[in-house]
Amino acid sequence: MKKILVSALLITASSVVLAQEYVTPADMPEQAQTKMYSILTDYNKCMMQGHLTSNYQGNNPQEAAQSILQSCETHLDELKTHLSSNNVETSLVEGMAKSMRSKAARQLMTKTMNNYAAQASAMANAEKLKQQSEKNIDTFVTQQLNEFYEW
């Protein structure tokens, strides 16, 4: 019975020690959390700005998205450095950066593909308008010629 109590006590004590060493972003001081949110905001702004300023004409959508992701990677490096300097668990640091990158990549690819679809639709509409206007011009010219010859 004493062995079971001692074993349970040792397991509980080691669990408490491990729990104290496991630091999450929520355990950081408020000022450090504020800086973390600022870095995340800067990353999101970079992604949005990259999407708005990139020229998708003639580029492969994956290449365009990859270029934007690479241009904003420094913000994720800054996030990892900041979290690590605040003793956040390494697996959480890497997981958070990976999660942010994956989410941004999905959003960027969705926006990029929507832009491509909109461009294709606009080109199709422009072609239809061109054909319609050519048809209208032909009809108008035919009517004018008919009126001229009838006169």
Side-chain angles (χ1 to χ4, degrees):
M1 178 89 159
K2 287 182 182 178
K3 288 182 181 180
I4 293 174
L5 275 173
V6 170
S7 296
L9 198 58
L10 286 174
I11 291 172
T12 303
S14 63
S15 297
V16 169
V17 169
L18 286 175
Q20 289 175 347
E21 293 176 15
Y22 194 79
V23 178
T24 68
D27 298 327
M28 295 188 313
E30 186 176 335
Q31 184 179 6
Q33 287 183 26
T34 302
K35 177 155 176 65
M36 176 187 72
Y37 292 129
S38 174
I39 294 168
L40 293 174
T41 300
D42 290 344
Y43 178 70
N44 289 331
K45 284 180 185 177
C46 179
M47 293 297 293
M48 183 179 293
Q49 189 63 32
H51 172 70
L52 292 174
T53 60
S54 78
N55 182 5
Y56 296 116
Q57 298 288 348
N59 289 339
N60 180 339
Q62 286 91 0
E63 289 174 6
Q66 186 63 31
S67 173
I68 294 168
L69 285 167
Q70 287 175 349
S71 70
C72 297
E73 190 70 22
T74 56
H75 295 286
L76 291 179
D77 293 339
E78 182 183 359
L79 175 66
K80 290 193 287 190
T81 300
H82 176 69
L83 293 174
S84 294
S85 69
N86 282 283
N87 301 318
V88 173
E89 177 65 30
T90 305
S91 62
L92 292 177
V93 171
E94 292 301 322
M96 189 171 188
K98 184 178 179 180
S99 173
M100 288 297 298
R101 185 181 300 108
S102 295
K103 179 182 175 186
R106 282 191 308 275
Q107 289 176 341
L108 186 59
M109 284 305 297
T110 298
K111 290 176 184 177
T112 301
M113 296 310 290
N114 286 342
N115 281 353
Y116 270 95
Q119 286 176 5
S121 178
M123 289 176 64
N125 287 339
E127 184 62 31
K128 285 179 186 176
L129 285 174
K130 180 181 173 186
Q131 290 172 354
Q132 185 63 36
S133 66
E134 288 173 355
K135 183 179 176 183
N136 289 345
I137 289 172
D138 288 345
T139 303
F140 176 76
V141 169
T142 303
Q143 286 174 348
Q144 292 300 313
L145 287 174
N146 286 340
E147 287 177 13
F148 177 75
Y149 287 119
E150 288 177 7
W151 200 50

